Amino acid sequence: MEPPKLWGSMKVLRTLVLVVSMVTPAVDGDTRVVGGMDCEPHSQPWQVAILDMYKLYCGGVLVDKEWVVTAAHCTTPGITSVHMGKHNLYTREQGEVQKMVQKMVAHPSYDPTTKDNDIMLMKLLTPVTITDRIQPIPVASCLPRPGTTCTTSGWGATTSPEAECQRLYPGSITDNMLCAGSLQGGRDSCQGDSGGPLVCNKSLQGIVSWGMEKCGQPKRPGVYTKVCRYAQWIHQTIKDN
Protein backbone atom coordinates (compact mmCIF):
# COMPACT_ATOMS: atom_id res chain seq x y z
CA MET A 1 0.00 0.00 0.00
CA GLU A 2 1.00 3.57 -0.55
CA PRO A 3 0.99 6.02 2.37
CA PRO A 4 -2.66 6.67 3.23
CA LYS A 5 -4.80 9.70 2.68
CA LEU A 6 -6.41 10.91 5.90
CA TRP A 7 -10.16 10.40 5.83
CA GLY A 8 -12.02 12.06 8.68
CA SER A 9 -15.23 10.04 8.66
CA MET A 10 -13.87 6.91 10.34
CA LYS A 11 -12.21 7.54 13.70
CA VAL A 12 -12.86 4.41 15.74
CA LEU A 13 -11.01 1.13 15.38
CA ARG A 14 -12.84 -1.29 13.13
CA THR A 15 -12.44 -5.03 12.70
CA LEU A 16 -13.33 -7.57 10.03
CA VAL A 17 -13.77 -11.31 10.60
CA LEU A 18 -12.41 -13.51 7.84
CA VAL A 19 -11.58 -17.13 7.14
CA VAL A 20 -7.98 -17.98 6.28
CA SER A 21 -7.13 -20.46 3.60
CA MET A 22 -3.62 -20.06 2.17
CA VAL A 23 -0.96 -17.39 1.68
CA THR A 24 -0.65 -13.98 -0.34
CA PRO A 25 -0.33 -9.52 -0.20
CA ALA A 26 -3.25 -6.71 1.24
CA VAL A 27 -5.20 -3.78 -0.26
CA ASP A 28 -5.12 0.01 -0.91
CA GLY A 29 -7.98 2.44 -0.51
CA ASP A 30 -9.17 4.71 2.27
CA THR A 31 -8.29 4.69 5.94
CA ARG A 32 -10.63 2.08 7.34
CA VAL A 33 -11.49 -1.60 7.17
CA VAL A 34 -14.05 -1.99 4.36
CA GLY A 35 -17.19 -3.93 5.20
CA GLY A 36 -16.21 -4.41 8.84
CA MET A 37 -17.75 -3.24 12.09
CA ASP A 38 -16.70 -1.07 14.99
CA CYS A 39 -14.55 -2.95 17.48
CA GLU A 40 -15.64 -3.43 21.05
CA PRO A 41 -13.56 -0.64 22.64
CA HIS A 42 -10.04 -1.84 23.55
CA SER A 43 -10.72 -5.42 22.45
CA GLN A 44 -7.57 -5.35 20.29
CA PRO A 45 -5.00 -4.19 22.88
CA TRP A 46 -2.04 -4.99 20.59
CA GLN A 47 -3.26 -2.62 17.86
CA VAL A 48 -1.29 0.61 17.51
CA ALA A 49 -1.58 3.66 15.30
CA ILE A 50 1.57 4.97 13.64
CA LEU A 51 1.44 8.72 13.08
CA ASP A 52 3.66 10.85 10.88
CA MET A 53 3.62 14.15 12.73
CA TYR A 54 -0.13 14.38 13.51
CA LYS A 55 -1.57 12.26 10.69
CA LEU A 56 -2.39 8.56 10.61
CA TYR A 57 0.25 6.87 8.47
CA CYS A 58 -0.11 3.14 9.17
CA GLY A 59 -1.27 0.57 11.66
CA GLY A 60 1.07 -1.59 13.71
CA VAL A 61 1.14 -4.41 16.23
CA LEU A 62 2.73 -4.45 19.68
CA VAL A 63 4.77 -7.67 20.05
CA ASP A 64 6.98 -6.66 23.00
CA LYS A 65 7.12 -3.87 25.58
CA GLU A 66 9.61 -2.04 23.34
CA TRP A 67 8.77 -3.29 19.86
CA VAL A 68 6.07 -2.82 17.24
CA VAL A 69 5.73 -4.84 14.02
CA THR A 70 4.47 -3.05 10.92
CA ALA A 71 4.97 -3.12 7.15
CA ALA A 72 8.36 -2.13 5.76
CA HIS A 73 6.70 0.32 3.38
CA CYS A 74 5.43 2.23 6.44
CA THR A 75 8.70 4.14 6.88
CA THR A 76 7.52 7.66 7.63
CA PRO A 77 9.17 10.78 6.20
CA GLY A 78 8.64 12.93 9.31
CA ILE A 79 8.60 12.51 13.09
CA THR A 80 7.15 9.11 13.92
CA SER A 81 5.06 8.41 17.00
CA VAL A 82 3.14 5.32 18.07
CA HIS A 83 -0.22 5.61 19.83
CA MET A 84 -1.46 2.70 21.96
CA GLY A 85 -4.57 2.02 24.00
CA LYS A 86 -6.70 3.83 21.42
CA HIS A 87 -10.24 3.25 20.21
CA ASN A 88 -11.29 6.65 18.90
CA LEU A 89 -8.17 7.87 17.16
CA TYR A 90 -8.83 11.59 17.45
CA THR A 91 -10.19 11.78 20.99
CA ARG A 92 -8.15 11.82 24.18
CA GLU A 93 -8.90 8.56 26.02
CA GLN A 94 -8.14 7.28 29.49
CA GLY A 95 -5.17 4.91 29.51
CA GLU A 96 -3.82 5.85 26.09
CA VAL A 97 -0.07 6.13 25.61
CA GLN A 98 2.06 7.88 23.01
CA LYS A 99 5.64 6.79 22.40
CA MET A 100 8.32 8.11 20.09
CA VAL A 101 10.19 5.69 17.83
CA GLN A 102 13.89 5.18 18.56
CA LYS A 103 14.77 3.14 15.46
CA MET A 104 13.22 1.31 12.52
CA VAL A 105 14.56 -2.05 11.34
CA ALA A 106 13.14 -3.07 7.97
CA HIS A 107 13.69 -6.64 6.82
CA PRO A 108 17.01 -6.68 4.93
CA SER A 109 15.41 -8.40 1.92
CA TYR A 110 12.44 -6.05 1.59
CA ASP A 111 11.74 -5.23 -2.06
CA PRO A 112 9.73 -1.99 -2.43
CA THR A 113 8.84 -2.87 -6.03
CA THR A 114 7.30 -6.29 -5.40
CA LYS A 115 6.46 -5.73 -1.70
CA ASP A 116 8.17 -9.04 -0.90
CA ASN A 117 9.39 -9.28 2.74
CA ASP A 118 7.18 -6.29 3.61
CA ILE A 119 7.81 -6.28 7.36
CA MET A 120 9.57 -3.93 9.75
CA LEU A 121 10.25 -3.61 13.47
CA MET A 122 10.02 -0.29 15.30
CA LYS A 123 11.80 0.09 18.63
CA LEU A 124 10.11 2.48 21.04
CA LEU A 125 12.17 5.13 22.80
CA THR A 126 11.05 3.75 26.19
CA PRO A 127 9.19 0.53 27.14
CA VAL A 128 5.43 0.65 27.44
CA THR A 129 3.65 -0.37 30.65
CA ILE A 130 1.34 -3.34 30.06
CA THR A 131 -2.29 -2.65 31.01
CA ASP A 132 -5.68 -4.11 30.13
CA ARG A 133 -5.73 -1.74 27.14
CA ILE A 134 -2.12 -2.18 26.00
CA GLN A 135 -0.82 -5.72 25.56
CA PRO A 136 1.59 -7.42 23.16
CA ILE A 137 0.44 -10.34 21.03
CA PRO A 138 2.44 -13.54 20.39
CA VAL A 139 3.99 -13.95 16.96
CA ALA A 140 2.84 -17.09 15.14
CA SER A 141 5.51 -19.64 14.26
CA CYS A 142 3.33 -21.72 11.93
CA LEU A 143 0.39 -21.13 9.61
CA PRO A 144 -3.19 -21.60 10.79
CA ARG A 145 -5.24 -24.42 9.33
CA PRO A 146 -7.36 -23.55 6.29
CA GLY A 147 -10.78 -22.40 7.45
CA THR A 148 -9.47 -20.76 10.63
CA THR A 149 -11.46 -17.68 11.62
CA CYS A 150 -9.24 -14.60 11.84
CA THR A 151 -9.68 -10.86 12.22
CA THR A 152 -8.01 -7.82 10.74
CA SER A 153 -8.38 -4.37 12.26
CA GLY A 154 -7.50 -0.77 11.63
CA TRP A 155 -8.63 2.82 11.52
CA GLY A 156 -7.95 3.51 8.05
CA ALA A 157 -11.10 -10.58 4.16
CA THR A 158 -12.60 -14.10 3.77
CA THR A 159 -9.55 -15.79 2.30
CA SER A 160 -8.77 -17.00 -1.16
CA PRO A 161 -6.75 -20.22 -1.66
CA GLU A 162 -3.14 -19.68 -2.78
CA ALA A 163 -3.71 -21.10 -6.27
CA GLU A 164 -6.72 -18.83 -6.70
CA CYS A 165 -4.77 -15.84 -5.45
CA GLN A 166 -1.93 -16.61 -7.86
CA ARG A 167 -4.50 -16.62 -10.66
CA LEU A 168 -5.98 -13.29 -9.55
CA TYR A 169 -2.54 -11.67 -9.12
CA PRO A 170 -0.39 -13.54 -11.68
CA GLY A 171 3.33 -13.29 -10.95
CA SER A 172 2.82 -11.09 -7.88
CA ILE A 173 2.33 -13.57 -5.03
CA THR A 174 5.39 -14.95 -3.25
CA ASP A 175 5.78 -17.56 -0.51
CA ASN A 176 6.03 -14.68 1.97
CA MET A 177 2.50 -13.42 1.29
CA LEU A 178 -0.94 -14.42 2.52
CA CYS A 179 -4.25 -13.65 0.72
CA ALA A 180 -7.36 -12.48 2.56
CA GLY A 181 -10.44 -10.75 1.20
CA SER A 182 -13.84 -11.48 -0.25
CA LEU A 183 -14.15 -12.74 -3.81
CA GLN A 184 -17.56 -11.02 -3.86
CA GLY A 185 -15.96 -7.70 -2.87
CA GLY A 186 -17.04 -5.17 -0.27
CA ARG A 187 -14.87 -6.55 2.56
CA ASP A 188 -11.24 -5.58 2.80
CA SER A 189 -8.41 -3.79 4.54
CA CYS A 190 -7.57 -0.43 3.03
CA GLN A 191 -5.07 2.43 3.00
CA GLY A 192 -4.29 3.48 6.55
CA ASP A 193 -4.69 -0.17 7.61
CA SER A 194 -1.21 -0.97 6.22
CA GLY A 195 1.01 -2.57 8.84
CA GLY A 196 -1.97 -3.65 10.93
CA PRO A 197 -2.63 -7.17 12.20
CA LEU A 198 -4.22 -10.32 10.88
CA VAL A 199 -4.91 -12.26 14.08
CA CYS A 200 -5.75 -15.98 14.20
CA ASN A 201 -6.12 -18.01 17.41
CA LYS A 202 -4.81 -15.06 19.45
CA SER A 203 -1.52 -14.90 17.55
CA LEU A 204 -0.20 -12.58 14.86
CA GLN A 205 -0.34 -14.31 11.47
CA GLY A 206 -0.29 -11.44 8.98
CA ILE A 207 0.59 -7.79 8.41
CA VAL A 208 -1.52 -5.72 6.02
CA SER A 209 0.75 -5.19 3.01
CA TRP A 210 -0.77 -4.37 -0.40
CA GLY A 211 -3.62 -4.67 -2.87
CA MET A 212 -5.58 -2.71 -5.45
CA GLU A 213 -5.85 1.08 -5.34
CA LYS A 214 -9.60 0.76 -4.89
CA CYS A 215 -10.41 -1.40 -1.85
CA GLY A 216 -13.00 -4.15 -1.67
CA GLN A 217 -13.19 -4.99 -5.36
CA PRO A 218 -14.60 -8.39 -6.40
CA LYS A 219 -11.90 -11.01 -7.00
CA ARG A 220 -9.22 -8.70 -5.63
CA PRO A 221 -8.45 -9.99 -2.09
CA GLY A 222 -6.08 -8.16 0.21
CA VAL A 223 -2.50 -9.31 0.57
CA TYR A 224 -0.69 -9.75 3.89
CA THR A 225 2.90 -10.46 4.89
CA LYS A 226 3.08 -14.04 6.19
CA VAL A 227 4.41 -13.38 9.70
CA CYS A 228 5.27 -16.97 10.63
CA ARG A 229 8.11 -16.89 8.08
CA TYR A 230 9.68 -14.03 10.05
CA ALA A 231 9.23 -15.23 13.64
CA GLN A 232 12.93 -16.08 14.02
CA TRP A 233 14.00 -12.75 12.47
CA ILE A 234 11.66 -10.84 14.79
CA HIS A 235 12.93 -12.57 17.93
CA GLN A 236 16.58 -12.29 16.87
CA THR A 237 16.25 -8.58 16.01
CA ILE A 238 14.70 -7.85 19.39
CA LYS A 239 17.45 -9.80 21.12
CA ASP A 240 20.22 -8.02 19.19
CA ASN A 241 18.85 -4.54 19.81
Side-chain angles (χ1 to χ4, degrees):
M1 290 189 183
E2 298 303 316
K5 306 174 183 67
L6 184 64
W7 289 43
S9 60
M10 282 295 178
K11 298 181 180 180
V12 299
L13 186 65
R14 290 171 67 81
T15 187
L16 177 63
V17 177
L18 49 135
V19 179
V20 167
S21 187
M22 297 290 283
V23 186
T24 46
V27 177
D28 289 345
D30 59 35
T31 58
R32 81 273 187 254
V33 170
V34 174
M37 59 185 296
D38 291 356
C39 286
E40 182 72 24
H42 311 293
S43 61
Q44 316 293 315
W46 45 80
Q47 174 88 44
V48 309
I50 298 170
L51 274 65
D52 177 34
M53 302 298 287
Y54 301 105
K55 293 183 178 180
L56 176 67
Y57 198 79
C58 278
V61 194
L62 189 69
V63 294
D64 179 86
K65 290 190 293 185
E66 292 184 276
W67 292 88
V68 167
V69 171
T70 187
H73 76 263
C74 286
T75 302
T76 58
I79 300 173
T80 306
S81 62
V82 173
H83 294 238
M84 293 162 279
K86 295 294 294 176
H87 177 63
N88 188 322
L89 192 57
Y90 302 117
T91 298
R92 187 73 179 175
E93 297 173 298
Q94 183 178 2
E96 71 174 71
V97 171
Q98 176 181 339
K99 294 283 187 179
M100 303 306 294
V101 173
Q102 179 184 146
K103 68 165 66 174
M104 300 182 189
V105 185
H107 193 276
S109 299
Y110 169 58
D111 186 331
T113 301
T114 65
K115 294 293 191 293
D116 199 19
N117 302 298
D118 189 13
I119 191 168
M120 177 169 65
L121 281 162
M122 290 182 168
K123 186 175 184 179
L124 306 177
L125 190 60
T126 57
V128 68
T129 300
I130 304 303
T131 69
D132 60 341
R133 297 186 175 189
I134 302 173
Q135 297 178 20
I137 189 170
V139 174
S141 58
C142 60
L143 283 172
R145 292 183 178 181
T148 300
T149 299
C150 304
T151 60
T152 187
S153 54
W155 287 273
T158 52
T159 304
S160 171
E162 185 173 7
E164 177 73 1
C165 205
Q166 290 280 4
R167 184 182 69 80
L168 296 174
Y169 296 115
S172 297
I173 304 305
T174 75
D175 291 341
N176 300 316
M177 300 172 185
L178 177 112
C179 242
S182 172
L183 293 182
Q184 291 73 40
R187 294 160 59 99
D188 209 346
S189 50
C190 218
Q191 283 186 349
D193 296 326
S194 285
L198 177 70
V199 175
C200 312
N201 296 326
K202 298 182 179 180
S203 66
L204 180 64
Q205 286 283 358
I207 293 292
V208 180
S209 181
W210 64 267
M212 304 303 292
E213 184 175 355
K214 182 179 179 181
C215 307
Q217 295 186 66
K219 297 185 179 180
R220 289 295 183 267
V223 187
Y224 296 73
T225 302
K226 193 191 301 183
V227 170
C228 66
R229 293 181 67 89
Y230 303 96
Q232 184 175 354
W233 175 77
I234 290 171
H235 295 311
Q236 191 63 48
T237 300
I238 292 174
K239 181 181 178 181
D240 291 345
N241 290 273

